[in-house]
Amino acid sequence: MAILIVEAGERLGEKFLLDNITIIGRLATNPIHIEDDRISREHAKVTREPDGFYIVDLDSRNGTLVNGERIKLHKLIDDDLITIGHTHLRFKEVDEAPVEQPAGRPSEEAMKTAPKVTIPTGGEPTTSVEPTTRAEIKSELSEEIDEIESKSPSDVAKKPSQESVLSKILLLGFSLIFFIALLLLSKRLGEVMIDRMIKSQPKTKTIQPEKSNLPVRSHADRSAAT
């Protein structure tokens, strides 16, 4: 038989009798329920095996320490100090445990928030649920934060947002417009250069023979002159 004694933290001085499986966490239905922001909803569990008690960390966010060292699985021996969040629990092996609250018994807060059944006169039983406590709301919010933080950057990168897709489409469109404008500008510059080259070439003048003012003499005139 073994117990856990709270030496520091929310439930200072309380003792819990360990069962075959005893879960420690922030969830109100856990056998050992501790309200601590640094404790996960199901933080760790203590199991009874044929060779003794073992404590197992349930992939908690802030981890489980035994005698100051972070553990995943550890066999407990008498007087081991378990640290979970701001809570310190001393493991003790006893013959008869003067336990104030058994580990298997629900906490007072869980009993307060449990549904209440009322039987009206001449009617069917009805169930009324008390309003959710601040502690439960805080627990739910902390759990959602844990899930968000547990997501790896690679998972987020696999789902690009619509804004990034739209930005890529706009960038592609602007690049295409710029390329077309560059082609048109190049064509226009080529036409201007060709036109200037044609205008800069010298013009060739055609020289025509000068007309003589002397009268043309026929062959008969030449014979008479002789």
Side-chain angles (χ1 to χ4, degrees):
M1 185 180 295
I3 62 171
L4 291 179
I5 305 172
V6 181
E7 294 188 349
E10 181 71 21
R11 307 185 68 171
L12 178 64
E14 294 191 43
K15 300 170 185 168
F16 299 94
L17 177 64
L18 296 176
D19 205 344
N20 291 333
I21 298 177
T22 304
I23 298 177
I24 308 170
R26 202 174 63 246
L27 196 64
T29 55
N30 287 332
I32 300 180
H33 165 238
I34 302 174
E35 279 297 333
D36 188 334
D37 292 339
R38 293 180 60 82
I39 295 179
S40 301
R41 299 183 69 184
E42 291 186 350
H43 195 102
K45 70 176 179 180
V46 179
T47 61
R48 177 160 47 189
E49 303 294 340
D51 59 337
F53 287 88
Y54 289 81
I55 184 168
V56 182
D57 182 76
L58 300 177
D59 296 326
S60 62
R61 181 177 59 176
N62 295 310
T64 303
L65 304 179
V66 176
N67 300 326
E69 296 183 1
R70 188 162 183 165
I71 59 93
K72 180 65 179 175
L73 172 66
H74 179 81
K75 182 180 180 181
L76 294 169
I77 59 174
D78 190 49
D79 211 37
D80 273 348
L81 181 64
I82 302 168
T83 303
I84 296 177
H86 299 293
T87 303
H88 295 175
L89 301 141
R90 182 73 64 179
F91 176 78
K92 286 287 185 181
E93 293 180 348
V94 294
D95 295 333
E96 235 175 280
V99 181
E100 296 179 5
Q101 178 181 328
R105 181 181 177 182
S107 64
E108 293 181 2
E109 185 177 351
M111 294 176 68
K112 289 179 181 179
T113 57
K116 296 181 179 180
V117 178
T118 58
I119 303 177
T121 304
E124 296 293 332
T126 59
T127 303
S128 61
V129 181
E130 294 292 331
T132 305
T133 62
R134 292 184 180 180
E136 289 181 346
I137 295 174
K138 191 175 181 181
S139 299
E140 294 295 334
L141 291 175
S142 299
E143 185 65 22
E144 292 180 3
I145 293 173
D146 292 345
E147 292 178 0
I148 293 172
E149 291 180 350
S150 64
K151 291 182 179 180
S152 62
S154 59
D155 295 335
V156 178
K158 291 179 182 178
K159 299 180 180 179
S161 62
Q162 294 182 355
E163 294 181 359
S164 62
V165 175
L166 182 61
S167 300
K168 291 180 180 180
I169 294 174
L170 291 175
L171 181 61
L172 182 60
F174 286 138
S175 301
L176 184 60
I177 293 173
F178 177 77
F179 181 71
I180 294 173
L182 187 63
L183 287 178
L184 294 175
L185 181 62
S186 301
K187 181 180 179 182
R188 179 58 182 166
L189 288 175
E191 293 175 352
V192 171
M193 292 180 65
I194 293 173
D195 187 51
R196 287 184 179 180
M197 290 176 63
I198 293 173
K199 290 182 179 180
S200 63
Q201 289 181 357
K203 296 182 179 180
T204 304
K205 294 183 179 180
T206 304
I207 301 175
Q208 296 181 356
E210 296 181 356
K211 295 182 179 181
S212 176
N213 294 325
L214 297 175
V216 179
R217 298 173 65 183
S218 63
H219 181 71
D221 291 339
R222 291 177 184 176
S223 299
T226 54

